[in-house]
Amino acid sequence: MNHIIEVRNLKKYFDINSRMGMVQHQVKAVDGVSFSVAEGETLGLVGESGCGKSTTGRLILRLIKPTSGEIFLEGRDINSIKDKELRSIRKDIQIVFQNPYSALDPRMTVTDILSEPLSIHKIVHKYEYGKEVKRLLGLVGLSEQDGKKFPHEFSGGQRQRIGIARAMATRPKFIICDEPVSALDVSVQSQILNLLGDLQKEMKVSYLFIAHGLNVIRHVSDKVGVMYLGKIVEMGIVDEVFEKPIHPYTKALLSSAPVPDPFRSMHLEVLEGEIPSPVNPPSGCAFHPRCRHMLAICKEKRPFLQHISLNHKVACHLADIAFEGGRASYA
Amino acid sequence: MGILDVNDLKTSFTAGRHEIKAVDGVSFSLEHHETLAIVGESGSGKSVTVLSVMRLINPPGRIKSGDIYFQGKNLLAFTEKQMEMVRGGRIAMVYQEPMSSLNPAIPVGEQIKEVLVIHKAAAGLAAKEKAIALMQAVKIPEARLRYQDLPKKFSGGMRQRIVIAMALACNPDVLIADEPTTALDVTIQAEIMALLRDMKRQLNMSMLLITHDLGIVAENADRVLVMYCGKVMEEAKVKTLFRSPLHPYTMGLMACIPKMDARVDRLQAIPGYVPHPSQYPAGCRFSSRCSRVMERCKAEMPELMEIEDGHKVRCWLYCDDVSERSGGRDGK
């Protein structure tokens, strides 16, 4: 398979300094994450706030520098390249932000916003900016006249279309969609999700889709990674993870999402307790203080992500016991 | 007659020479012990409706007309002093963002106690004990030890529990929850909604639940009001609404949410955007986005009509033509 992006054992630790400027604590925001995304594929990352999903996206774009680990863009190691050369990868990797209100410069017209990446990355000749901007506007369903307007003249959904057009301007291979519909109204969400889907089919672009809305993740993703306190606890083909979740955290997450069906009997697996602080994560399996099925080993030993089927991996001691033996064939 | 009856409420804001009709003729009745959900997108007027009920509309906004009867008394005729005893006493409110409804410099226990003291429900040491009991009731671990902690020491979910404890302090008759879980993670959201359902049953309260999430509506509400651009578009019992939505807007909302248990290639979408209040279309306010728009919709605003027992809709499709009406139901 042709991987556009491959990430191996990616880590980002943030230092928290005391008043004296000494390193006091480390927040392990991303702690050993590995995955790959193929051409035209969407990997969904889901998890609660503070689980490290947005940090993962920012690391791939090199908006922040990883503590350790490797990131490959079409086989080329982009983690070790110098800051000066970053421009060459940003043409291929773009991002769509959550809040379309703060992601656009209020003093630039839409034409200026869309021309900037064209000139920085020398996508087309200067004389063709006008034509290219028109093409981009059409791509995301805006009219040519909209190019003359400023961001404040648009609604949230339209602004997100501008954000998407800007990301598409450099003709990227990989787009990080960081909660692109979370700030939008329900009736506008589906328009934007459809637009992202259409563009993917047309341009063969790959997405890393970060969201906390489980139904959104289910809809857009081919593969999904469930994150908890900086680690991926379950990963696999989206249908398999949603229909046969193995990790107790994934199960709890899926059952706590409210379902718009009043005829369904509620089978709530309410999670006890709060998300622990990533400054001081629990020992062993980070989920053990909230887990109903905790074993003695869970407090002591960290479980690793292991295959339970060809396209499904879980980091849980319970799964280790249940699927023992059946695993060797996938190793 | 319900515990809270709102009749033809109109609340407007003035912006320069423009008048923004945030709530434009809303009527509903909250029955005893029921949960009535108000759903709508941003700008639908759902929050302004409940802020009007609490008489918390400040200039440039004002309640232009209408009546708000609470237990038979018109709240709009109350003095500010009388209103202060209603707020937090008989009608309590839980807001979306817990951090902004707590004072960051006062220990949480003291903030709960303050409610009891102001409403003369308890005083002195008894008030403190009652506050601790409330913290225990909303399941704050080690409540007595945490009485003196400042809000910053609590997580978002725990803060929302404190806000709920404050709201419940005086055993209110009506609890208004305005997007109580929107700022919270999904597992925490499930816990908070479970707590609210529990408390409502224990204290025999009636609840007005404001949300944009149809999942929360389905799991919590008895009846639903669907609002769009300051108007009620549809009103029904929750099961009726999900089984046979009548208004094209309600149908559109239900069709466009991605499902958890099945995948589709393309989502259905409502075209266009929620119009700005200064640019509402003439006639029906949904006419600019409606897939079944008729000439009449662009000219005249339909009334909210009762189609069958308790099921009301504001749409010309159901006005006189019976064949159109059944077509609408199949269209679900």
Side-chain angles (χ1 to χ4, degrees):
Chain A
M1 189 121 71
N2 205 356
H3 294 315
I4 295 291
I5 283 281
E6 190 174 356
V7 168
R8 286 191 207 144
N9 206 15
L10 191 65
K11 290 183 183 172
K12 178 65 192 178
Y13 298 169
F14 292 103
D15 295 335
I16 298 179
N17 296 333
S18 68
R19 271 184 213 152
M20 307 294 287
M22 314 259 280
V23 176
Q24 217 177 17
H25 297 290
Q26 279 194 317
V27 178
K28 297 180 175 176
V30 175
D31 195 10
V33 164
S34 305
F35 57 76
S36 60
V37 186
E39 189 186 65
E41 190 181 52
T42 301
L43 171 70
L45 273 188
V46 66
E48 297 179 275
S49 46
C51 72
K53 54 191 194 300
S54 288
T55 308
T56 305
R58 268 146 223 252
L59 286 170
I60 293 174
L61 202 61
R62 281 285 301 275
L63 288 174
I64 44 178
K65 215 170 156 45
T67 308
S68 69
E70 295 164 300
I71 307 165
F72 297 94
L73 170 69
E74 294 187 303
R76 175 181 169 211
D77 183 359
I78 58 169
N79 189 21
S80 53
I81 62 170
K82 295 195 184 76
D83 288 353
K84 276 185 188 165
E85 296 167 36
L86 279 176
R87 199 167 271 186
S88 68
I89 63 157
R90 297 227 169 107
K91 179 178 166 298
D92 291 330
I93 309 179
Q94 286 285 316
I95 184 165
V96 175
F97 293 98
Q98 169 171 6
N99 188 339
Y101 294 84
S102 57
L104 302 173
D105 188 329
R107 292 179 302 178
M108 287 166 83
T109 64
V110 172
T111 301
D112 293 342
I113 289 171
L114 296 180
S115 304
E116 200 172 29
L118 298 178
S119 80
I120 289 175
H121 294 287
K122 305 192 176 60
I123 304 295
V124 292
H125 194 274
K126 216 172 177 176
Y127 302 123
E128 292 180 11
Y129 286 176
K131 209 174 114 200
E132 182 67 6
V133 166
K134 192 179 148 192
R135 187 186 73 89
L136 288 166
L137 286 170
L139 205 61
V140 297
L142 293 173
S143 70
E144 204 179 338
Q145 286 76 38
D146 289 331
K148 298 186 194 101
K149 295 186 192 163
F150 288 91
H152 75 263
E153 296 174 69
F154 295 93
S155 70
Q158 287 168 310
R159 272 182 242 203
Q160 198 56 293
R161 286 175 190 268
I162 300 167
I164 293 169
R166 181 178 60 184
M168 285 290 169
T170 65
R171 304 176 187 175
K173 298 182 173 119
F174 188 73
I175 298 182
I176 294 155
C177 303
D178 189 358
E179 305 261 14
V181 296
S182 310
L184 305 177
D185 275 320
V186 201
S187 74
V188 180
Q189 266 190 21
S190 54
Q191 294 176 9
I192 298 295
L193 292 174
N194 283 342
L195 172 66
L196 286 169
D198 293 346
L199 291 173
Q200 181 166 47
K201 271 183 216 134
E202 223 173 297
M203 316 278 169
K204 296 273 178 297
V205 59
S206 312
Y207 292 138
L208 178 70
F209 202 101
I210 300 162
H212 65 270
L214 290 154
N215 54 350
V216 171
I217 284 287
R218 168 99 204 228
H219 175 73
V220 300
S221 313
D222 299 301
K223 289 192 296 189
V224 62
V226 181
M227 285 188 76
Y228 190 74
L229 285 180
K231 297 189 180 78
I232 292 182
V233 296
E234 185 159 1
M235 183 145 159
I237 299 286
V238 71
D239 291 342
E240 201 166 323
V241 173
F242 272 69
E243 277 153 33
K244 291 177 213 138
I246 304 288
H247 199 286
Y249 178 65
T250 313
K251 286 185 187 168
L253 200 62
L254 291 175
S255 85
S256 54
V259 178
D261 177 6
F263 301 97
R264 191 189 71 123
S265 61
M266 280 168 62
H267 59 90
L268 265 186
E269 198 168 317
V270 174
L271 265 189
E272 298 290 327
E274 303 273 324
I275 306 160
S277 151
V279 178
N280 201 358
S283 61
C285 170
F287 185 61
H288 84 255
R290 298 171 82 190
C291 185
R292 270 158 201 249
H293 314 283
M294 190 192 67
L295 307 169
I297 187 176
C298 303
K299 276 190 190 171
E300 286 149 23
K301 212 175 138 222
R302 176 186 163 187
F304 288 94
L305 211 53
Q306 309 245 28
H307 279 280
I308 56 150
S309 73
L310 189 57
N311 294 315
H312 197 168
K313 292 190 269 187
V314 181
C316 178
H317 290 303
L318 282 164
D320 284 355
I321 294 164
F323 293 90
E324 201 184 9
R327 269 182 173 163
S329 51
Y330 304 111
Chain B
M1 190 138 163
I3 186 162
L4 183 71
D5 292 284
V6 172
N7 295 322
D8 203 21
L9 178 71
K10 290 185 179 170
T11 302
S12 292
F13 293 81
T14 33
R17 275 175 294 134
H18 293 287
E19 183 192 4
I20 304 225
K21 295 176 175 172
V23 174
D24 195 8
V26 165
S27 304
F28 63 87
S29 171
L30 176 68
E31 304 295 331
H32 288 270
H33 313 313
E34 81 165 342
T35 298
L36 175 66
I38 305 183
V39 262
E41 301 178 271
S42 46
S44 63
K46 55 196 194 301
S47 286
V48 177
T49 302
V50 293
L51 287 175
S52 305
V53 169
M54 292 294 259
R55 292 247 322 257
L56 289 172
I57 300 290
N58 292 321
R62 85 193 165 88
I63 300 173
K64 276 174 63 192
S65 63
D67 304 298
I68 301 167
Y69 286 98
F70 170 63
Q71 294 177 329
K73 292 184 210 101
N74 193 350
L75 291 184
L76 294 183
F78 274 30
T79 62
E80 188 51 36
K81 197 131 201 146
Q82 285 172 307
M83 207 52 220
E84 271 168 21
M85 295 324 284
V86 173
R87 285 185 209 124
R90 307 312 341 134
I91 307 179
M93 195 153 172
V94 175
Y95 299 88
Q96 174 172 346
E97 181 35 67
M99 201 54 203
S100 51
S101 33
L102 291 168
N103 185 330
I106 298 176
V108 293
E110 293 293 328
Q111 297 192 48
I112 301 172
K113 186 180 137 186
E114 190 185 12
V115 180
L116 294 161
V117 173
I118 287 174
H119 288 281
K120 301 190 175 67
L125 212 54
K128 183 176 174 180
E129 286 304 318
K130 179 100 198 282
I132 291 169
L134 281 161
M135 286 170 75
Q136 283 161 348
V138 295
K139 299 187 188 122
I140 301 215
E142 298 170 325
R144 191 171 292 276
L145 289 173
R146 306 215 65 183
Y147 182 89
Q148 285 295 344
D149 281 348
L150 293 175
K152 69 172 182 192
K153 295 236 177 148
F154 292 82
S155 65
M158 284 294 153
R159 280 179 205 148
Q160 197 60 299
R161 285 171 191 270
I162 303 276
V163 173
I164 292 171
M166 287 168 70
L168 301 180
C170 301
N171 291 339
D173 302 301
V174 174
L175 181 68
I176 298 176
D178 187 357
E179 303 263 12
T181 57
T182 306
L184 304 174
D185 277 316
V186 49
T187 59
I188 311 295
Q189 164 172 298
E191 287 179 49
I192 295 289
M193 288 318 300
L195 175 72
L196 282 173
R197 281 195 299 270
D198 251 25
M199 287 295 159
K200 184 196 153 236
R201 201 178 50 235
Q202 275 180 37
L203 301 176
N204 271 323
M205 291 185 295
S206 313
M207 184 150 87
L208 208 51
L209 176 65
I210 314 300
T211 181
H212 65 273
D213 186 332
L214 286 171
I216 290 188
V217 171
E219 290 183 357
N220 296 281
D222 300 308
R223 270 190 324 126
V224 191
L225 292 185
V226 181
M227 282 187 73
Y228 185 78
C229 295
K231 293 259 182 204
V232 175
M233 293 307 209
E234 187 159 2
E235 175 182 340
K237 290 204 173 98
V238 68
K239 288 188 176 171
T240 315
L241 189 80
F242 280 81
R243 191 192 302 122
S244 47
L246 295 177
H247 202 286
Y249 176 60
T250 318
M251 294 182 203
L253 270 190
M254 288 181 179
C256 74
I257 333 172
K259 302 278 184 298
M260 280 280 283
D261 46 7
R263 263 159 72 98
V264 289
D265 210 30
R266 256 186 103 72
L267 294 168
Q268 290 193 41
I270 302 178
Y273 301 93
V274 180
H276 188 269
S278 61
Q279 291 155 1
Y280 285 151
C284 174
R285 289 190 182 157
F286 188 59
S287 61
S288 56
R289 304 175 72 191
C290 186
S291 55
R292 306 181 63 188
V293 63
M294 304 177 289
E295 276 312 307
R296 192 175 191 183
C297 308
K298 295 178 190 160
E300 280 176 273
M301 167 86 75
E303 291 297 310
L304 192 64
M305 289 165 300
E306 190 152 3
I307 300 295
E308 51 191 39
D309 190 29
H311 195 166
K312 297 179 195 169
V313 64
R314 183 189 294 280
C315 183
W316 287 123
L317 285 175
Y318 307 99
C319 203
D320 12 60
D321 190 350
V322 180
S323 62
E324 275 283 7
R325 188 166 135 192
S326 58
R329 265 179 225 161
D330 296 341
K332 183 201 166 187

